[in-house]
Amino acid sequence: MKKQKNHSTKPIRKVLIANRGEIAVRIIRACKEMAIDTVAIYSEIDREALHTRFAKEAYCIGPPPSDESYLAIEKIIDTARRAHADAIHPGYGFLAENAAFAKSCEEAGITFIGPPASAIEVMGNKTAARKMMEEAGVPIVPGTTKPLNSQDEVMKVAEKLGFPIMLKASGGGGGKGIRIVRSAGEIGEGYRLATSEAASAFGDPSLYIEKFIEKPRHIEIQILADSSGNVIHLGERECSIQRRHQKVIEECPSCIVDEKMRSSMGEVARKAAGAVGYTNAGTVEFLVDREKHFYFLEMNTRLQVEHPVTEMVTGIDIVKTQLKIAMGQPLQMRQADISMQGAAIECRIYAEDPDNNFLPSPGTISWMLDPGGPGIRNDTGITQGGEVSIYYDPLISKLVAWGNNRQEAIERMRRALKEYKIYGIKTTVPFHERVMKNEHFLEGDFDTNFIDTVFSAENGTRERPMREYALVAAAIAAYRERKSVGSSTKNGTFGSKWKFANRLRALNSKLQ
Amino acid sequence: MRLEALSDGKQYPVEIVRKADVFIVRIGEREYRVDYREPRESLYSLIINGKAFDIGVEKSGNGSYNIYFYDDFFKIEFADALQRQMLVSAADGATGKEEIVAPMSGKIVKLLKNKGDEVKANEGILIIQAMKMENELKASRNGTISQFLVKPGDTVNSSQLLAVIE
């Protein structure tokens, strides 16, 4: 693929943000600092949301379900036209990696703040991406680079590679259509399940094979590429702390990456970006094995959720750089100018109940106190009185702590988590607090399975010294309630108590 | 005031005396002198022997409270002796009907059974979606589905009754 050589600059005066929540707020902030006008779009349920009130203009684009609002390409393009926006920032999720959307923007004469549609397309097709990366000399996880369509083919390749292997959907992503096969005997079942899942999720039953890497770490490289062909990297992010394949805590730098490994991963990432004619901000994800060999996993052709940790350590505002690149400006810095100072860590705070299998906990935040103080950054899109709705991702905020080293970053994070008060809904703040105290985490001894295995087991048997104070607080609550309603509770509402006990029991058994 | 507290299956005798803004709370053998304030609804600020605590306190049903610390969570139930007995027998009673209620607000995706179907304990009844995640609600006992109060596509609130098994 040819590199775009476009030296002409065209200013962006007004940006439509095709997203919601914390990332929309983050992008609006960058625009405001650059004196660029902002246009928010919102669904009917987001009329009072922070991003709606934060932008200079705001337009309702439909009912709450995403496919009728934040995913409705035509409505969004039409709104951008009517508002005279000359660019669209897609954020992450929703339409951020939708090549058709990038094309629609282009056809409407609106700048898409992201890579060319062709790069999104290539990286979205897993086998095509693997093939292209292999040709570009990027190390990929050993396996196939073309789709396989029969169990015999799969068996042949698997025997050559050696077990265990991963079966993955060619058209895939998001953890669907993936099976681990540990021996030849498991191939039949694995093949059947993976093809059927792949067919229903992506409309394409074809699979490819990757060698299964035991206890890997997930480490990614942030890159920036301008339209003059300059590509630089901003170092790595450690993203191994995941729950069911979803990142929950990210760090920059990684405690297993030294300067030499960083520059060789960075070079490979630059090569990967160059091979697809990439422009704007992107992330190349790698799996790293126990011997620190790293393998290309995929490229995310958008702004990452976890970009703030890189910003805190490099001092570079990635969103503002995205806007400048989209205007056709060449990067102002070269690779040698990039340095990393200190360490940053991000905790994703979700509206989920960590003490009940991370069940979503939508609802209204009745009261909230944000953490602050030295080294703390809290990117959020919700305020006191705001609602975490059932329609969207339950991310409340990304709490980021910076310190002179990893230890100080962790100490600040613990302090900030303790300050952070969110009432009315359940959140993952207590989960993060427990991870920040975990010995393995503190020592940097973990892989992508850590939360689901080692941590879960230790969490189940943790000491709970606060129980006595919980009893004291509950006793006062019970006393006050009984005194305030006089003797009426004495007579008892046994009927409702029966019902309540029954419901409690029913609920508990269902949530296990 | 004397109460019985129940936390994670363990019972604790509790005695509470109020003297102005100070509560004397006795749990088993231990006594706590508690300086109590409630600066916001559902937020207790307690100072116990010089130690300060911010604690979230939420009523979660008759005689039951959710207690939140920044790093831990407890569910504490109370009852006087008679109520305690009633609660325990209700919870143990295998007779009577089971009400399937929504554990959270969401949308009904699919009913896995029909009215009149027999179900076994642990068998899925319906699928509810909240925040893009699908959750299967299961029967906790054997029985027959006597009522379905929802259909696919319905939006439901937390604790709303969805189905009855008899």
Side-chain angles (χ1 to χ4, degrees):
Chain A
M1 202 164 290
K2 265 188 290 179
K3 274 180 187 169
Q4 285 190 323
K5 293 278 179 194
N6 176 12
H7 296 274
S8 63
T9 60
K10 53 171 178 178
I12 291 173
R13 295 189 183 87
K14 194 190 263 191
V15 173
L16 179 143
I17 296 98
N19 216 303
R20 66 180 299 285
E22 69 84 18
I23 198 60
V25 171
R26 166 73 187 93
I27 296 162
I28 293 168
R29 283 182 167 141
C31 291
K32 283 183 175 173
E33 288 177 22
M34 294 171 75
I36 295 170
D37 284 342
T38 50
V39 181
I41 55 169
Y42 62 94
S43 74
E44 285 157 13
I45 205 172
D46 275 341
R47 170 60 186 85
E48 293 177 26
L50 197 58
H51 81 275
T52 306
R53 290 143 50 204
F54 234 57
K56 194 165 179 184
E57 296 172 39
Y59 301 97
C60 183
I61 48 152
S66 308
D67 47 4
E68 294 172 61
S69 50
Y70 298 104
L71 288 173
I73 294 180
E74 273 179 36
K75 285 189 206 171
I76 293 171
I77 300 275
D78 184 51
T79 307
R81 272 210 189 103
R82 285 191 292 130
H84 303 290
D86 36 29
I88 293 181
H89 197 306
Y92 57 71
F94 294 125
L95 295 168
E97 289 178 286
N98 185 316
F101 180 60
K103 262 184 216 149
S104 300
C105 292
E106 208 173 292
E107 282 159 18
I110 297 165
T111 303
F112 176 78
I113 301 171
S118 58
I120 299 177
E121 214 153 13
V122 170
M123 288 303 183
N125 181 318
K126 304 300 164 191
T127 45
R130 275 170 65 80
K131 189 158 184 283
M132 195 167 251
M133 290 303 106
E134 192 179 42
E135 284 167 6
V138 171
I140 58 173
V141 180
T144 52
T145 53
K146 63 175 205 306
L148 302 175
N149 288 303
S150 80
Q151 195 176 320
D152 285 350
E153 273 185 285
V154 169
M155 184 65 103
K156 264 185 214 146
V157 179
E159 278 174 344
K160 217 158 111 195
L161 272 177
F163 291 95
I165 56 153
M166 298 272 272
L167 293 178
K168 292 185 165 185
S170 303
K176 286 195 179 108
I178 294 180
R179 279 288 176 284
I180 298 170
V181 177
R182 294 192 175 273
S183 67
E186 289 177 17
I187 278 203
E189 191 192 348
Y191 181 80
R192 247 193 339 273
L193 289 170
T195 44
S196 125
E197 255 182 54
S200 69
F202 313 110
D204 173 8
S206 69
L207 303 176
Y208 67 99
I209 293 185
E210 273 180 11
K211 184 150 180 64
F212 178 68
I213 294 174
E214 300 272 4
K215 301 194 168 174
R217 287 175 96 108
H218 176 129
I219 297 174
E220 61 188 29
I221 300 283
Q222 174 72 52
I223 64 116
L224 291 171
D226 66 20
S227 46
S228 311
N230 302 307
V231 186
I232 61 168
H233 74 84
L234 303 184
E236 80 282 6
R237 286 186 289 259
E238 165 69 73
C239 306
S240 302
I241 304 294
Q242 307 183 353
R243 208 182 70 75
R244 294 186 190 156
H245 308 295
Q246 301 289 326
K247 299 166 190 168
V248 287
I249 296 172
E250 299 96 347
E251 296 182 62
C252 177
S254 162
C255 56
I256 68 154
V257 174
D258 57 19
E259 199 48 57
K260 193 168 159 239
M261 187 173 172
R262 179 170 302 124
S263 82
S264 74
M265 289 180 89
E267 276 317 301
V268 166
R270 287 167 67 174
K271 224 190 269 179
V276 294
Y278 201 87
T279 56
N280 218 296
T283 297
V284 183
E285 297 191 334
F286 296 99
L287 277 185
V288 180
D289 70 14
R290 305 298 265 178
E291 285 77 44
K292 296 196 187 178
H293 299 124
F294 58 88
Y295 306 98
F296 172 85
L297 189 61
E298 60 179 33
M299 181 164 187
N300 293 311
T301 54
R302 57 168 157 84
L303 182 64
Q304 291 286 84
V305 177
E306 59 272 22
H307 75 276
V309 289
T310 300
E311 293 186 327
M312 299 290 272
V313 169
T314 61
I316 291 169
D317 187 316
I318 294 173
V319 181
K320 286 205 281 193
T321 310
Q322 283 194 294
L323 288 158
K324 288 177 192 163
I325 291 171
M327 291 187 214
Q329 296 178 16
L331 288 168
Q332 295 299 302
M333 54 274 186
R334 294 287 169 268
Q335 192 61 52
D337 302 329
I338 306 302
S339 67
M340 296 168 80
Q341 200 180 355
I345 184 160
E346 172 183 281
C347 290
R348 298 190 190 188
I349 313 293
Y350 283 103
E352 291 172 344
D353 183 357
D355 293 296
N356 198 350
N357 208 15
F358 293 88
L359 199 72
S361 176
T364 302
I365 295 178
S366 57
W367 186 68
M368 175 145 116
L369 184 66
D370 285 325
I376 298 301
R377 164 176 172 179
N378 192 28
D379 279 22
T380 183
I382 195 158
T383 50
Q384 184 169 316
E387 195 188 334
V388 179
S389 102
I390 61 168
Y391 293 101
Y392 314 111
D393 187 83
L395 182 68
I396 296 171
S397 81
K398 302 180 322 205
L399 181 58
V400 182
W402 180 90
N404 283 298
N405 49 46
R406 183 171 189 257
Q407 194 188 333
E408 191 182 42
I410 290 171
E411 284 161 0
R412 281 184 166 156
M413 179 59 82
R414 292 189 57 181
R415 189 262 299 161
L417 286 165
K418 203 166 176 176
E419 288 175 5
Y420 207 175
K421 302 272 196 291
I422 305 169
Y423 291 109
I425 56 172
K426 291 175 180 144
T427 77
T428 53
V429 167
F431 161 80
H432 288 293
E433 174 58 32
R434 290 171 215 162
V435 176
M436 292 297 132
K437 282 194 286 212
N438 183 280
E439 286 296 319
H440 302 282
F441 176 75
L442 295 176
E443 281 162 25
D445 170 27
F446 50 74
D447 58 64
T448 55
N449 306 307
F450 171 70
I451 295 297
D452 295 327
T453 57
V454 178
F455 175 80
S456 292
E458 292 179 1
N459 186 44
T461 57
R462 71 182 190 278
E463 287 190 17
R464 306 187 65 188
M466 301 309 274
R467 189 184 306 275
E468 55 177 321
Y469 301 110
L471 285 162
V472 170
I476 292 172
Y479 177 96
R480 295 189 67 244
E481 193 189 341
R482 275 151 217 253
K483 287 289 176 189
S484 69
V485 295
S487 61
S488 66
T489 49
K490 267 249 163 95
N491 296 328
T493 42
F494 285 159
S496 66
K497 261 205 194 307
W498 273 90
K499 202 167 175 184
F500 170 64
N502 218 6
R503 285 195 175 184
L504 243 188
R505 178 177 55 84
L507 212 86
N508 284 337
S509 66
K510 272 189 288 280
L511 299 181
Q512 265 150 32
Chain B
M1 183 181 289
R2 283 172 196 274
L3 297 166
E4 284 289 319
L6 189 72
S7 171
D8 288 323
K10 246 189 109 177
Q11 230 164 303
Y12 302 84
V14 177
E15 198 188 330
I16 312 135
V17 179
R18 182 173 197 168
K19 290 180 182 161
D21 271 341
V22 175
F23 283 88
I24 311 293
V25 180
R26 218 169 274 128
I27 295 165
E29 303 287 295
R30 304 185 74 161
E31 189 178 289
Y32 303 84
R33 209 185 138 77
V34 187
D35 181 334
Y36 151 88
R37 296 283 193 287
E38 192 172 350
R40 294 250 169 194
E41 201 191 332
S42 303
L43 175 69
Y44 284 15
S45 163
L46 304 185
I47 299 177
I48 305 172
N49 300 330
K51 274 184 156 178
F53 300 91
D54 259 7
I55 307 174
V57 178
E58 173 190 284
K59 192 167 189 277
S60 76
N62 250 332
S64 171
Y65 300 88
N66 292 333
I67 306 294
Y68 300 92
F69 293 89
Y70 71 98
D71 63 347
D72 214 342
F73 162 77
F74 298 89
K75 190 175 197 75
I76 315 270
E77 289 176 82
F78 287 98
D80 59 39
L82 178 61
Q83 283 172 324
R84 164 62 44 207
Q85 253 176 12
M86 298 289 286
L87 268 173
V88 169
S89 59
D92 290 347
T95 55
K97 56 187 185 178
E98 180 188 357
E99 295 178 340
I100 308 282
V101 298
M104 67 219 141
S105 329
K107 194 169 149 185
I108 304 297
V109 178
K110 198 175 174 186
L111 304 183
L112 301 169
K113 294 281 170 190
N114 296 311
K115 189 181 163 185
D117 281 0
E118 286 198 6
V119 287
K120 294 207 171 69
N122 250 335
E123 215 178 337
I125 306 287
L126 55 82
I127 294 174
I128 182 169
Q129 185 196 56
M131 296 167 168
K132 306 262 159 226
M133 297 262 290
E134 293 191 356
N135 301 277
E136 196 174 290
L137 299 191
K138 297 180 163 115
S140 62
R141 58 193 282 279
N142 298 346
T144 307
I145 298 184
S146 61
Q147 282 186 72
F148 258 125
L149 295 109
V150 289
K151 57 182 190 305
D154 283 2
T155 304
V156 297
N157 296 318
S158 181
S159 300
Q160 186 175 330
L161 184 62
L162 309 178
V164 179
I165 300 171
E166 292 190 67

